[in-house]
Amino acid sequence: YPAENPGIQFAVSVSKRLFPKATDRNTIKRRIRECYRLQKNELSDLLATNHKCSLMLVYTGKKIPLSADINIQLKSLLTSLLKSIK
């Protein structure tokens, strides 16, 4: 996929040991990527000027999370990341 901001790289990993079914792993990764897509604007704006950022999330939960829960946690994570960058 062509990147909107080449300074940001984003990856998601889900353990095969915790989720043996590929459909479950893909569901989790899809939900996390969608929540990130909706919240990445602030991070993109901050890194628009010659900054680079690589962000990898490793999901370690034991249950398939709801999108609302992912949204809350990801918002908290991105907020703390923005504070540390500023």
Side-chain angles (χ1 to χ4, degrees):
Y1 302 156
E4 292 176 12
N5 183 354
I8 299 176
Q9 295 178 335
F10 182 75
V12 180
S13 176
V14 179
S15 171
K16 189 174 184 179
R17 182 177 294 171
L18 294 175
F19 296 95
K21 293 182 181 177
T23 55
D24 292 340
R25 291 193 305 274
N26 291 338
T27 298
I28 294 168
K29 289 188 281 189
R30 189 178 311 113
R31 288 179 183 175
I32 292 173
R33 283 193 305 261
E34 178 63 15
C35 288
Y36 171 75
R37 184 187 68 81
L38 295 172
Q39 297 181 14
K40 69 180 178 179
N41 294 333
E42 291 180 44
L43 188 61
S44 296
D45 293 343
L46 183 64
L47 298 175
T49 58
N50 296 334
H51 288 89
K52 295 193 184 272
C53 179
S54 296
L55 180 63
M56 179 162 184
L57 297 177
V58 179
Y59 183 74
T60 58
K62 297 187 190 300
K63 295 181 181 178
I64 298 175
L66 298 174
S67 294
D69 295 336
I70 295 171
N71 202 13
I72 292 168
Q73 295 296 322
L74 194 59
K75 185 171 184 127
S76 172
L77 176 69
L78 291 177
T79 302
S80 64
L81 179 63
L82 286 171
K83 285 181 184 177
S84 67
I85 290 173
K86 290 179 181 178

